[in-house]
Amino acid sequence: MATNLTAPFLCSQHAFRLMKAQSPQGGRIINNGSISADRPRPNSAAYTSTKHAITGLTKSCSLDGRAFAIAVTLTLTLTLTLTPTLTLALTRWARSTLATPRRR
């Protein structure tokens, strides 16, 4: 709980103070969420609850920050299981993308 929830809360609180006090006001706060907040896995109650709380913290801070030009957003982490078919498709896509020169 201390790492996944208390630390982001305290860091956001401190960042808000700094961003409100500077001239011009404003800045960005990016919190680390997880897809587990909406799609939990078995035996992950503590992790899931903290990531769900981070989503709420981010939304609340985003609303509070608007008046001070402080944008608060959330990144989501997710784990992919790479099946052989998906691996092949990603490899083909990457090769075709990297092999095509970009035009300016």
Side-chain angles (χ1 to χ4, degrees), residues 14-68:
H14 184 68
F16 254 78
R17 282 191 206 110
L18 292 174
M19 292 175 186
K20 285 169 61 175
Q22 70 187 7
S23 180
Q25 289 182 325
R28 290 197 177 277
I29 298 171
I30 302 171
N31 289 321
N32 291 316
S34 174
I35 196 72
S36 291
D38 293 320
R39 307 264 185 317
R41 297 182 195 169
N43 304 312
S44 66
Y47 179 79
T48 298
S49 62
T50 59
K51 291 305 179 176
H52 192 74
I54 290 295
T55 301
L57 172 69
T58 301
K59 290 178 181 180
S60 181
C61 287
S62 180
L63 292 171
D64 294 343
R66 286 181 183 175
F68 306 101

Side-chain angles (χ1 to χ4, degrees), residues 70-82:
I70 300 171
V72 186
T73 58
L74 182 72
T75 63
L76 294 179
T77 57
L78 110 109
T79 304
L80 287 176
T81 302
L82 294 177

Side-chain angles (χ1 to χ4, degrees), residues 84-98:
T85 304
L86 182 57
T87 302
L88 180 61
L90 288 172
T91 302
R92 286 180 178 164
W93 174 82
R95 285 183 182 153
S96 68
T97 302
L98 297 174

